[in-house]
Amino acid sequence: MSAPHSLIATERLGGHRRPTTEPPWVRRLLIGVALAFLAIFLWVPLAAVFAQAFAKGARAYFDSFNDPVTFAAVKLTLIAAGIAVPLNLVFGVAAAWAISKFNFPGKSLLITLIDLPFSVSPVIAGLIYVLLFGAQGLLGPWLIDHDIRIIFAVPGIVLATTFVTFPFVARELIPLMQAQGRSEEEAALSLGASGWQTFWRVTVPNIKWGLLYGIILCNARAMGEFGAVSVVSGHIRGETNTIPLHIEILYSENVVAAFAVATLLTLLALVTLCLKTWVEWRAAAESQTAEAE
Amino acid sequence: MSVEVRNITKTFGSFTALNNVSLNVESGELIALLGPSGSGKTTLLRIIAGLEFADPGTAQVLFHGEDVTNLPASQRRAGFAFQHYALFRHLTVFENIAFGLRVRPRATRPSEESIRERVTELLKLIQLDPLANRFPSQLSGGQRQRVALARALAVEPKVLLLDEPFGALDAKVRKQLRRWLRKLHDDIHITSIFVTHDQEEALEVADRVVVMNEGGIVQIGPPHEVYDRPANAFVFNFLGNVNLFQGRMDDGLMKIGDTELHVAENLGTSVSDATVYFRPHDVKVSTEPVGQESIAALIRHINLAGPVVRIDLERADTGSRFEVELNREQWQGIDRRVGDRVFVDLQRVRVFPTDHKTPLEDFSI
Amino acid sequence: MAQRKTSPLPGFRLTLGYTLLYLCLIVLLPLAATFLKTATLTWDQFWTTVTAPRVLASYRLTFGTSLLAAMVNLVFGLLVAWVLVRYNFFGKKIVDALVDLPFALPTAVAGIALTAIYAPNGWLGKPLAALGIKAAFTPLGIFIALTFIGLPFVVRTVQPVLEDLDAEVEEAAASLGATRFQTFRYVIIPMLLPSLLTGFSLSFARALGEYGSVVFIAGNQPMKTEITALLIITKLDQYNYAEATAIAVVMLVFSFVMLLTVNLLQWWGSRFQQPH
């Protein structure tokens, strides 16, 4: 039947109610409670960041950024994310290709292991690198002999960031590519395309939204990571402080400045959410056109 | 338990799904609502079940004279079988069937023992008693629909409503299951209404067929009656294969191409453009003209596979194509090849005014 | 690993090889190093470390507040998912997008924002203080922070399942005489159960290891408001690597148990899937 049976009956049908919806007062009550919960736990903290940042006026807010140490923190954050995100992107694509296009024993174990960093506390994520590369770590003496610094230096921060953002791209792509199967790639090969051509011309266009989504989330986490980076950083001002670590230090000295810098990351989070919504919307629109055809 | 609906109108936004429909179903009848998609048949069924409500006004739904228009689905006791079964996938076959008994208010809820008895009885009825502890995902489509029927019957419904009950099944299971449904109905005699877009299914199973189109009822009658005496061109078209010849009507004489036919219908003097409808098997084919009304045609294709011989013909005068069906003996009396000329006499025709809103070429389907 | 001819596509050796190598380098080898490090402790030393009163208090606090936060998220996550899927209201799209805020907002920012709100002179801290309730620098504050960071998990695991729920199944229940509440209780909840439990476990697991959002609001007093993750950092700051590692291993074991639980739940949830 082509008559649209919508689940959501917004209007009352002459006093009648479809069996798949609730009385209006129940609906209003549930919406009210849900929104109150979200307001207290999500929206108020979001508003608080900006309120605190502008507590002493716009001038104090903008003055907060006029600090070379803040610039150094921004720069370090960009470096860490700039290395960790591409690394995990390449890994995510490779892992998704192997897992979704081939059958091999131990596949579900591999998928579970890829998810592992999500279940490890960020503090432990930092700790494991300290135990490996720190002065008293397994490789510590060798590194000292060769004058290589990893812990309390930039490489450690990059490593810890890579660890905590490890699964993001892979876990977006694996289910997506598994659902798509491999018939399109097989068709491309049968038409004479090479492996690389098939990947770039067939696979990538099919997964572009999932890929973008994974990169966006990966980047947000990379720039915002606190616990893991905190353990390996050593908190050297202007050298090994990323933005979140810089906020922690500012918070005990100058609350307005801490919140002012925090607005940068909050805006990044909001941009991330916008991009995510946009990507979902685009992906849904494309799959709808595909179905209509 | 009879079912009556009066003055049902239902609109979805600007789309009118049902336009002032009334229908009376006798107690114990098995009725088919037949129509193309968008004709409003499913909406009508859902309104009877209380899953949808008619636009407010004079609409009424009566179960055995009792007004249930304002009762929600849960209080109507109308058993409903869905096209995709809608089984509870987290419950076993047994618990699916028992569901309606278990959710009754404590005062009227049967004891655990009588629930068990009733479910076992129904499992026997649908011949699935060995599968009582399976989950729906472990059953075939036909088995799932039988479970869905048993689940609907468990609450001893006043009326059984089936929405395209066999629509999701493959052709063979479909045929088996509709015979089974007919037999089941003959055994338990519950007033039943089922929706289908398959005319063969409706004609085979139902006591009466309700043909629907564009939100209204076009014709109601026993299967042979709607098939033999369709009320209009739509019904004729919808109930089986048909050929159409367009022509002009003049005082009981129908001119199609070079031929003039004497027809029974009198469409009045105001109608001049008319269309002749006939079924492919309601013809006589000869190698020589039989009389004035024989239509000369050339054989374009012959399909000998199957119980009947299907022949594509092209009229010699207008060049329009049509199809005829002959049994094998008839064909042996003719035995011509592609390209040969034959003569066709129409045995039973119906003439309806030509529908200028949706102009049709002469065609065969 | 030998190439298996299960697919005509190229790149199996290359991609799987790279995947395994990268996984080992970044994740598996460093994790293994942690366990190696604890091996420098004797069993007795290990046991004494991980069962010291201060450590036990941190477990109790971490598990208790995490469990409570996950339970609140279970109930309200279901409610939010339900409202977003089933009802229409003004601004629904924005509300939906903002649910992911705790995923996108750095934990340190969440931490200082929550602290500012619940401090005795904060927006919500003040009215609470008037009622005699102290939120910041108490276990209540930790619970609030953990509820914040775990909020999206239940919503985002339940939402798609709720969207795919066949309306016909609810209609079937109604036509069988079930009230709306019975349909919810006996049909909808059982079908959502695997996703509800998965969301609950994810939320709980995330809370167990959380550090950034908690450390500002917690107060960090040993035996009272010191979570396990913070205790590990404290030990590290004192260069007490062996004890830090021992406690970390206990936390890791719990993480793995939670990971296993989530995987089992997902397998269980796919059990009823009807092959269409």
Side-chain angles (χ1 to χ4, degrees):
Chain A
M1 291 299 288
S2 58
H5 297 304
S6 167
L7 250 180
I8 303 154
T10 41
E11 84 280 32
R12 290 182 59 142
L13 301 158
H16 300 298
R17 188 161 54 76
R18 285 217 186 94
T20 47
T21 177
E22 293 75 37
W25 70 269
V26 174
R27 264 182 269 157
R28 278 196 282 270
L29 179 73
L30 293 180
I31 292 173
V33 174
L35 293 185
F37 173 77
L38 290 175
I40 291 175
F41 280 93
L42 285 189
W43 307 338
V44 169
L46 183 61
V49 175
F50 293 96
Q52 296 284 336
F54 287 96
K56 290 185 182 157
R59 200 186 171 83
Y61 174 80
F62 287 107
D63 280 349
S64 309
F65 297 105
N66 198 5
D67 177 359
V69 180
T70 303
F71 280 112
V74 171
K75 197 175 138 199
L76 181 58
T77 298
L78 290 176
I79 290 172
I83 298 173
V85 173
L87 277 179
N88 287 331
L89 170 63
V90 172
F91 160 73
V93 172
W97 180 270
I99 286 168
S100 64
K101 309 288 179 193
F102 301 91
N103 287 318
F104 53 91
K107 192 146 110 173
S108 10
L109 178 68
L110 181 59
I111 295 175
T112 307
L113 287 178
I114 289 173
D115 265 352
L116 198 58
F118 273 163
S119 20
V120 173
S121 168
V123 170
I124 295 175
L127 172 72
I128 60 175
Y129 290 110
V130 173
L131 295 180
L132 203 56
F133 302 116
Q136 304 185 28
L138 288 176
L139 304 177
W142 186 87
L143 291 170
I144 291 169
D145 286 348
H146 292 79
D147 202 23
I148 302 170
R149 282 184 70 85
I150 292 181
I151 299 306
F152 305 146
V154 176
I157 290 166
V158 171
L159 271 176
T161 306
T162 307
F163 183 95
V164 293
T165 57
F166 183 88
F168 276 99
V169 178
R171 72 181 282 139
E172 279 309 315
L173 290 186
I174 291 170
L176 182 67
M177 283 168 71
Q178 274 180 329
Q180 285 174 348
R182 60 186 192 217
S183 52
E184 287 188 40
E185 280 83 2
E186 286 173 356
L189 288 177
S190 77
L191 293 168
S194 72
W196 274 114
Q197 284 173 321
T198 304
F199 175 73
W200 283 110
R201 288 164 184 262
V202 177
T203 310
V204 171
N206 275 336
I207 60 170
K208 59 175 185 276
W209 298 121
L211 198 62
L212 190 56
Y213 189 17
I215 294 171
I216 292 166
L217 290 178
C218 186
N219 179 63
R221 181 70 194 267
M223 293 195 170
E225 178 51 29
F226 179 71
V229 174
S230 171
V231 173
V232 296
S233 138
H235 305 277
I236 306 162
R237 262 187 184 232
E239 278 180 45
T240 61
N241 272 345
T242 59
I243 304 175
L245 298 177
H246 183 57
I247 291 173
E248 186 193 17
I249 291 179
L250 283 177
Y251 185 68
S252 56
E253 297 171 350
N254 177 354
V255 172
V256 166
F259 277 101
V261 177
T263 58
L264 288 182
L265 291 177
T266 308
L267 287 174
L268 174 74
L270 292 176
V271 169
T272 301
L273 293 183
C274 286
L275 278 173
K276 175 184 167 289
T277 308
W278 181 74
V279 163
E280 280 171 349
W281 175 74
R282 280 306 308 251
E286 273 188 18
S287 71
Q288 256 176 13
T289 3
E291 268 169 36
E293 282 161 6
Chain B
M1 190 75 59
S2 66
V3 173
E4 196 182 344
V5 296
R6 292 183 192 152
N7 313 323
I8 302 286
T9 296
K10 177 71 184 172
T11 49
F12 294 101
S14 60
F15 174 75
T16 304
L18 289 171
N19 189 5
N20 199 24
V21 168
S22 299
L23 174 67
N24 205 343
V25 182
E26 298 298 324
S27 190
E29 253 191 318
L30 176 54
I31 290 274
L33 299 181
L34 173 68
S37 67
S39 60
K41 55 193 192 305
T42 294
T43 307
L44 181 58
L45 194 77
R46 289 170 60 87
I47 286 173
I48 296 172
L51 297 174
E52 206 79 66
F53 290 92
D55 294 352
T58 52
Q60 270 191 312
V61 181
L62 306 168
F63 284 2
H64 214 76
E66 182 197 344
D67 190 340
V68 298
T69 319
N70 296 314
L71 281 186
S74 55
Q75 287 165 36
R76 287 200 189 181
R77 298 253 314 270
F80 201 101
F82 295 84
Q83 183 176 3
H84 298 290
Y85 329 124
L87 292 176
F88 305 127
R89 60 173 190 240
H90 62 289
L91 299 177
T92 60
V93 168
F94 186 97
E95 287 302 325
N96 260 283
I97 299 173
F99 184 88
L101 301 171
R102 293 201 193 282
V103 296
R104 284 204 188 153
R106 206 171 292 275
T108 57
R109 193 183 305 160
S111 68
E112 185 58 36
E113 197 181 332
S114 44
I115 290 178
R116 189 155 292 279
E117 225 166 78
R118 176 93 182 112
V119 174
T120 313
E121 189 186 312
L122 283 161
L123 278 167
K124 285 215 180 79
L125 183 72
I126 59 166
Q127 296 152 11
L128 287 179
D129 29 335
L131 304 184
N133 293 318
R134 296 267 179 99
F135 284 96
S137 57
Q138 298 167 299
L139 302 181
S140 72
Q143 290 171 334
R144 285 182 204 175
Q145 190 56 286
R146 270 144 68 195
V147 174
L149 276 173
R151 182 179 69 174
L153 290 172
V155 295
E156 286 163 344
K158 295 172 179 167
V159 47
L160 186 59
L161 307 170
L162 306 103
D163 182 11
E164 300 262 6
F166 315 126
L169 301 169
D170 61 56
K172 203 156 185 183
V173 181
R174 223 181 145 108
K175 279 204 165 165
Q176 284 170 359
L177 215 51
R178 73 191 190 210
R179 298 223 168 97
W180 178 81
L181 175 68
R182 182 67 241 184
K183 192 178 160 298
L184 181 78
H185 185 264
D186 291 344
D187 291 346
I188 61 175
H189 272 298
I190 179 173
T191 310
S192 309
I193 306 175
F194 77 100
V195 155
T196 180
H197 63 266
D198 179 345
Q199 86 280 358
E200 210 184 301
E201 192 169 291
L203 297 176
E204 183 182 320
V205 177
D207 294 325
R208 283 198 298 158
V209 177
V210 177
V211 186
M212 297 187 65
N213 188 34
E214 292 176 345
I217 292 174
V218 189
Q219 189 174 6
I220 307 178
H224 63 89
E225 193 183 298
V226 288
Y227 188 79
D228 288 338
R229 291 208 298 277
N232 62 20
F234 167 79
V235 179
F236 201 120
N237 239 320
F238 196 70
L239 286 187
N241 291 344
V242 67
N243 292 306
L244 277 67
F245 288 159
Q246 290 191 3
R248 292 182 72 77
M249 186 78 170
D250 188 13
D251 199 18
L253 214 56
M254 180 73 205
K255 286 174 75 110
I256 45 169
D258 295 345
T259 315
E260 291 191 338
L261 295 177
H262 291 276
V263 294
E265 277 99 341
N266 191 350
L267 300 176
T269 48
S270 59
V271 178
S272 56
D273 287 348
T275 305
V276 173
Y277 290 73
F278 64 97
R279 305 252 178 242
H281 54 84
D282 284 339
V283 295
K284 199 166 175 310
V285 178
S286 343
T287 50
E288 298 296 330
V290 181
Q292 292 289 314
E293 300 192 351
S294 297
I295 298 166
L298 301 171
I299 298 177
R300 286 297 173 221
H301 182 76
I302 304 166
N303 178 3
L304 287 164
V308 295
V309 180
R310 292 171 210 274
I311 306 156
D312 279 357
L313 295 170
E314 182 182 315
R315 268 168 60 184
D317 49 1
T318 61
S320 60
R321 303 279 286 247
F322 62 107
E323 186 192 61
V324 300
E325 290 173 6
L326 302 176
N327 64 35
R328 287 181 173 273
E329 288 89 71
Q330 287 170 326
W331 173 247
Q332 269 153 17
I334 300 161
D335 194 28
R336 290 293 155 105
R337 316 239 173 283
V338 170
D340 290 350
R341 176 181 286 254
V342 291
F343 295 88
V344 178
D345 281 89
L346 309 184
Q347 306 291 78
R348 285 149 57 95
V349 303
R350 291 295 303 270
V351 180
F352 298 107
T354 300
D355 183 359
H356 286 289
K357 279 184 291 182
T358 49
L360 295 164
E361 293 295 307
D362 287 4
F363 76 114
S364 62
I365 52 173
Chain C
M1 195 174 290
Q3 164 97 43
R4 289 166 174 269
K5 279 288 172 199
T6 56
S7 169
L9 300 182
F12 178 66
R13 272 169 205 256
L14 177 72
T15 53
L16 186 67
Y18 180 73
T19 300
L20 293 175
L21 179 73
Y22 188 76
L23 179 71
C24 285
L25 280 181
I26 300 287
V27 180
L28 297 184
L29 288 179
L31 275 175
T34 315
F35 287 95
L36 267 181
K37 188 78 186 174
T38 45
T40 60
L41 291 177
T42 67
W43 175 251
D44 279 343
Q45 284 172 317
F46 176 81
W47 190 249
T48 317
T49 306
V50 300
T51 57
R54 184 174 169 190
V55 183
L56 287 181
S58 85
Y59 296 153
R60 269 196 297 275
L61 179 69
T62 308
F63 277 82
T65 48
S66 297
L67 198 64
L68 210 60
M71 288 195 305
V72 166
N73 278 327
L74 180 69
V75 175
F76 284 92
L78 172 62
L79 175 66
V80 170
W82 181 271
V83 163
L84 287 176
V85 172
R86 293 297 174 102
Y87 306 145
N88 272 328
F89 53 90
F90 180 75
K92 178 167 134 171
K93 288 230 164 80
I94 297 172
V95 171
D96 193 349
L98 272 179
V99 165
D100 282 330
L101 184 72
F103 284 164
L105 192 71
T107 52
V109 177
I112 60 170
L114 289 169
T115 312
I117 296 166
Y118 289 99
N121 59 351
W123 290 348
L124 296 173
K126 214 171 198 170
L128 284 175
L131 295 171
I133 302 168
K134 254 186 83 146
F137 318 123
T138 68
L140 179 62
I142 300 175
F143 156 78
I144 290 168
L146 295 181
T147 306
F148 173 86
I149 53 119
L151 195 151
F153 287 100
V154 176
V155 181
R156 292 305 187 219
T157 47
V158 171
Q159 206 174 8
V161 182
L162 201 51
E163 271 165 3
D164 285 348
L165 220 56
D166 195 352
E168 280 192 351
V169 175
E170 288 168 53
E171 291 177 348
S175 77
L176 292 167
T179 63
R180 189 67 189 141
F181 180 75
Q182 283 175 321
T183 305
F184 183 75
R185 168 70 187 75
Y186 297 111
V187 177
I188 298 175
I189 289 291
M191 296 212 280
L192 295 180
L193 197 59
S195 60
L196 278 169
L197 290 178
T198 302
F200 172 82
S201 309
L202 288 170
S203 171
F204 181 60
R206 172 74 203 263
L208 282 184
E210 180 57 19
Y211 173 70
S213 60
V214 176
V215 73
F216 295 94
I217 203 171
N220 307 330
Q221 278 181 297
M223 303 299 292
K224 285 186 187 151
T225 54
E226 185 179 54
I227 56 166
T228 310
L230 178 71
L231 189 57
I232 294 173
I233 291 214
T234 311
K235 299 269 181 203
L236 269 182
D237 285 345
Q238 296 160 353
Y239 300 102
N240 194 341
Y241 289 95
E243 288 193 6
T245 310
I247 301 168
V249 165
V250 174
M251 293 299 284
L252 270 180
V253 169
F254 278 114
S255 301
F256 295 158
V257 170
M258 290 310 298
L259 187 66
L260 195 68
T261 311
V262 170
N263 274 290
L264 285 175
L265 283 172
Q266 268 158 1
W267 168 80
W268 181 60
S270 61
R271 177 178 67 127
F272 302 123
Q273 292 308 312
Q274 292 188 21
H276 272 298

